[in-house]
């Protein structure tokens, strides 16, 4: 992919669906991945890394289906340097209008010796062979030296030159373990561009992890030193401390053109929606003080700041809430609103639902409007995400009746739809949440352990919907589930059931050796 005629245009490569999904607990099902891919495309992201096709059938299917629905963005699949990996990626990418194979191998002394147990010369040969093989399927091939920032410069230069010589059109330099500091990382990119004789034939890219909280700073330093692609994820999702956050990179470029005179194709007004969608799907709640998308990012609490803001917004506001698509909470509708108005509202908010999904969402909206005086945009988002994203789940919540209070025992009578068959059970427990979860365990026996239970209110007021996150762990694998309802216990049951559904998907995944990236 070229950056066109503008030498300062930065390609935004989103890896939420691949590196983002590698965060413990962040697994997503196909439906969820497709929704994120659709929104990434609407946002104007240039490249969507949709998965690691050889990692599991689920990853293969995700890359294949994302390839089918995405029209404008390039769809990318990750592969190690083996033929089998590359063949599988090429197969999954077949339906794509524009496809990219991203192949990688470690080049640092530490990784080559202990992880790969390969000599540098063997690695060098694998670079040439893998890129050459990938070029048989597409002329858009990206090559990454894993742990690039800790690799020896001479060897790295040789490998980069060989990769470009074999046909790689993008050279991505990962700071795999988030160890680099900005000046050093920028200098690494500059060194490669200056020293590698054929560097002009490829676009250089950054891929920075956030272990020291420097992923965005390192990515921007890379851009200032010649990189013209940034790999990033929504909300900075990713392994360990995550990847560079897309919204931070893009808004830094938009807000500081005086210092960072580079452009992207991202419609920044979609940022808030993308952040919410990824947070809802993964169950990773965004910290309130997170830059750009945290709940407090545009909130001015202190009197001095509020006074300044009233006199002139720019006294304390370097970017507007509108520029990231954050509009004031608007009162949307009440219980008298009809199906047509509901459909129009959903469209305005970026949801296009099929007839059945619309029917279900409308039914839940009516039920909510009956219980809650004011229904806000946030309520609609929580409700629709909750309903639509769970449409294909094997286990579905049906109903819950709870008896609780200071006089025990607390009981929960729960009905679930388990693969099309309704099953009910009445359980007791140490409190209503425990009773509810015990009922689920009876209806769907499993050995998973509850790692996290978290509740937050979607809007203000005592009639607000509760959004519950549940994290379950089984055999070292963890998943997050979410559920929303005005009744916290119903939301809890929905969240637990959602996590169980995800766990079932995760069980099917077989992680190949040395897959972590
Ligand atoms: O962090 C990493 O090194 C990666 C590579 C696969 C690009 O994710
Ligand atoms: Zn990574």
């Amino acid at each position: 992919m070229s950056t066109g005629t503008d030498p300062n245009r930065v390609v935004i490569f989103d890896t939420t669906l691949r590196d983002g999904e590698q965060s413990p607990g962040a697994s997503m099902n196909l439906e969820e991945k497709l929704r994120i891919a659709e929104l990434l495309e609407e946002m104007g992201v240039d490249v969507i890394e949709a998965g690691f096709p050889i990692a599991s059938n689920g990853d293969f299917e995700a890359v294949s289906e994302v390839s089918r629905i995405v029209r404008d963005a390039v769809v990318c699949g990750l592969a190690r340097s083996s033929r089998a990996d590359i063949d599988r990626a090429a197969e999954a990418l077949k339906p794509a209008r524009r496809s990219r194979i991203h192949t990688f191998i470690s080049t640092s002394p530490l990784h080559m010796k202990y992880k790969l147990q390969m000599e540098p010369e063997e690695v060098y040969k694998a670079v040439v062979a893998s890129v050459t093989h990938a070029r048989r399927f597409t002329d858009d091939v990206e090559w990454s030296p894993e742990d690039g920032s800790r690799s020896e410069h001479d060897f790295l230069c040789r490998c980069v030159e060989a990769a470009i010589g074999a046909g790689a059109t993008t050279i991505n330099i990962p700071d795999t373990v988030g160890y680099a500091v900005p000046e050093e990382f920028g200098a690494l990119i500059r060194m490669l561009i200056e020293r590698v004789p054929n560097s002009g034939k490829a676009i250089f890219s950054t891929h920075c992890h956030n272990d020291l909280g420097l992923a965005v700073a390192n990515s921007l330093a890379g851009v200032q030193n010649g990189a013209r692609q940034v790999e990033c994820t929504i909300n900075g999702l990713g392994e360990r401390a995550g990847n560079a956050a897309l919204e931070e990179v893009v808004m830094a470029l938009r807000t500081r053109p005086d210092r960072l005179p580079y452009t992207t194709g991202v419609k920044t007004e979609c940022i808030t929606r993308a952040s919410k969608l990824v947070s809802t799907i993964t169950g990773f709640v965004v910290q309130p003080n997170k830059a750009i998308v945290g709940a407090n990012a545009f909130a001015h609490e202190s009197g001095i700041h509020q006074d300044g803001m009233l006199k002139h917004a720019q006294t304390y506001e370097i970017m507007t809430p509108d520029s990231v698509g954050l509009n004031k909470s608007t009162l949307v509708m009440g219980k008298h609103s009809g199906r047509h108005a509901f459909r129009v509202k959903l469209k305005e908010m970026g949801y296009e639902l099929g007839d059945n999904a619309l029917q279900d969402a409308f039914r839940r909206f009516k039920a909510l409007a009956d219980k809650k005086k004011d229904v806000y945009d946030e309520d609609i988002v929580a409700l629709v995400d909750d309903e639509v994203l769970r449409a294909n789940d094997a286990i579905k919540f049906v109903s819950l009746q709870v008896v609780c209070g200071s006089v025990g025992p607390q009981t929960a009578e729960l009905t679930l739809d388990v693969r099309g068959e309704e099953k009910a059970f009445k359980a007791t427990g140490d409190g209503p949440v425990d009773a509810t979860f015990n009922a689920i365990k009876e209806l769907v026996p499993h050995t998973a352990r509850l790692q996290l239970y978290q509740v937050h209110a979607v809007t203000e007021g005592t009639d607000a919907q509760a959004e519950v996150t549940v994290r379950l762990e089984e055999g070292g694998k963890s998943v997050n589930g979410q559920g929303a309802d005005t009744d916290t216990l119903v939301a809890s049951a929905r969240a637990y059931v959602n996590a169980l559904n995800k766990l079932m998907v995760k069980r099917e995944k077989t992680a190949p050796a040395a897959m972590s990236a």
Side-chain angles (χ1 to χ4, degrees):
M1 173 180 218
S2 86
T3 50
T5 48
D6 180 356
N8 287 340
R9 167 74 155 77
V10 176
V11 172
I12 296 296
F13 175 116
D14 181 277
T15 182
T16 306
L17 300 179
R18 197 280 296 172
D19 220 341
E21 208 213 9
Q22 284 180 214
S23 352
S27 55
M28 312 169 206
N29 63 31
L30 179 62
E31 188 91 7
E32 295 167 340
K33 288 186 181 174
L34 293 179
R35 285 202 60 202
I36 293 176
E38 272 171 7
L39 187 47
L40 291 174
E41 162 130 297
E42 188 187 331
M43 271 178 99
V45 160
D46 300 289
V47 186
I48 301 173
E49 188 164 53
F52 194 171
I54 200 146
S56 68
N57 291 339
D59 261 49
F60 179 90
E61 203 186 350
V63 174
S64 174
E65 289 306 311
V66 170
S67 299
R68 235 179 276 284
I69 62 158
V70 164
R71 301 279 85 201
D72 297 324
V74 172
V75 182
C76 177
L78 184 69
R80 289 166 298 181
S81 56
S82 74
R83 276 181 166 249
D85 273 49
I86 293 167
D87 291 348
R88 192 81 176 135
E91 183 68 26
L93 288 165
K94 262 190 187 153
R97 279 181 70 187
R98 302 166 72 201
S99 66
R100 172 179 296 186
I101 295 178
H102 175 189
T103 179
F104 72 100
I105 190 165
S106 295
T107 51
S108 68
L110 212 58
H111 276 222
M112 289 190 290
K113 183 165 177 197
Y114 295 105
K115 178 180 139 171
L116 299 177
Q117 297 177 338
M118 283 167 81
E119 290 300 322
E121 281 319 299
E122 291 177 89
V123 169
Y124 179 84
K125 283 190 189 129
V127 173
V128 177
S130 58
V131 174
T132 307
H133 188 58
R135 276 298 300 249
R136 291 181 48 212
F137 302 103
T138 169
D139 55 13
D140 188 346
V141 172
E142 172 169 328
W143 179 74
S144 294
E146 190 183 359
D147 207 18
S149 59
R150 294 192 299 170
S151 301
E152 282 172 358
H153 287 190
D154 288 351
F155 183 63
L156 189 59
C157 285
R158 273 188 72 211
C159 289
V160 168
E161 184 181 354
I164 298 174
T169 44
T170 300
I171 297 294
N172 176 50
I173 305 301
D175 181 26
T176 303
V177 290
Y179 181 71
V181 296
E183 201 192 353
E184 177 191 27
F185 193 74
L188 176 64
I189 298 289
R190 180 168 297 273
M191 182 280 295
L192 289 168
I193 293 174
E194 284 175 0
R195 275 186 57 188
V196 172
N198 53 4
S199 64
K201 291 190 179 150
I203 291 179
F204 279 73
S205 165
T206 66
H207 179 105
C208 298
H209 280 269
N210 204 30
D211 300 66
L212 293 174
L214 293 171
V216 170
N218 286 339
S219 307
L220 295 175
V223 171
Q224 287 178 301
N225 284 281
R228 287 296 175 269
Q229 174 175 288
V230 173
E231 301 202 350
C232 43
T233 58
I234 303 290
N235 297 340
L237 196 68
E239 289 243 54
R240 307 180 311 277
N243 289 60
L246 179 148
E247 61 279 4
E248 295 178 24
V249 171
V250 168
M251 287 312 288
L253 297 183
R254 178 174 163 162
T255 308
R256 296 302 308 272
D258 53 330
R259 288 278 164 174
L260 300 163
Y262 312 100
T263 57
T264 73
V266 171
K267 296 183 193 85
T268 59
E269 294 73 17
C270 295
I271 282 177
T272 300
R273 194 144 57 88
S275 166
K276 291 216 162 104
L277 182 64
V278 170
S279 162
T280 303
I281 285 176
T282 57
F284 278 46
V285 177
V286 174
Q287 74 189 59
N289 57 333
K290 160 89 176 64
I292 318 293
V293 291
N296 292 351
F298 291 90
H300 298 274
E301 182 77 24
S302 88
I304 297 174
H305 286 204
Q306 283 175 353
D307 180 57
M309 285 286 293
L310 289 174
K311 289 181 176 139
H312 195 295
Q314 281 174 5
T315 49
Y316 286 102
E317 197 172 74
I318 59 165
M319 51 200 157
T320 64
D322 285 352
S323 66
V324 298
L326 178 69
N327 306 311
K328 291 240 152 30
S329 282
T330 40
L331 188 57
V332 279
M333 291 176 295
K335 61 179 170 188
H336 301 298
S337 309
R339 189 186 311 266
H340 178 68
F342 184 66
R343 186 197 286 268
V344 171
K345 182 72 202 172
L346 287 185
K347 201 154 179 220
E348 258 172 48
M349 296 171 73
Y351 291 102
E352 297 261 14
L353 302 190
D355 286 347
N356 287 346
L358 180 76
Q359 179 90 0
D360 290 344
F362 184 65
R363 189 181 36 74
R364 274 191 74 183
F365 160 71
K366 280 297 209 189
L368 179 66
D370 267 343
K371 288 192 236 163
K372 194 172 185 293
K373 197 165 115 279
D374 301 327
V375 180
Y376 295 91
D377 281 2
E378 292 91 325
D379 288 312
I380 303 269
V381 170
L383 174 156
V384 174
D385 284 346
D386 197 58
E387 189 68 40
V388 174
L389 295 172
R390 283 122 190 77
N392 295 328
D393 282 354
I395 310 164
K396 293 192 175 86
F397 171 87
V398 177
S399 66
L400 176 68
Q401 196 68 40
V402 174
V403 178
C404 64
S406 55
V407 185
Q410 289 81 19
T411 58
E413 200 170 342
L414 177 73
T415 306
L416 296 180
D417 178 319
V418 184
R419 294 185 188 82
E421 192 191 333
E422 282 206 3
K423 293 183 172 182
F425 192 81
K426 189 171 178 176
T428 56
D430 195 0
V433 176
D434 192 44
T436 303
F437 291 177
N438 285 342
I440 297 176
K441 281 179 210 149
E442 285 296 332
L443 294 175
V444 187
H446 57 274
T447 54
R449 215 171 45 84
L450 180 68
Q451 273 190 324
L452 174 96
Y453 171 75
Q454 189 171 277
V455 184
H456 92 271
V458 173
T459 56
E460 290 171 6
T462 49
D463 64 352
Q465 286 195 88
E467 203 160 47
V468 174
T469 304
V470 160
R471 181 177 301 157
L472 297 179
E473 186 270 336
E474 184 184 68
K477 293 174 181 172
S478 53
V479 290
N480 285 346
Q482 274 208 331
D485 200 277
T486 47
D487 186 314
T488 308
L489 294 167
V490 172
S492 304
R494 286 182 181 277
Y496 197 113
V497 166
N498 179 234
L500 267 186
N501 279 295
K502 288 191 168 181
L503 203 56
M504 281 157 40
V505 174
K506 189 109 185 170
R507 276 182 200 145
E508 291 164 18
K509 288 205 171 200
T510 49
M515 195 185 85
S516 75

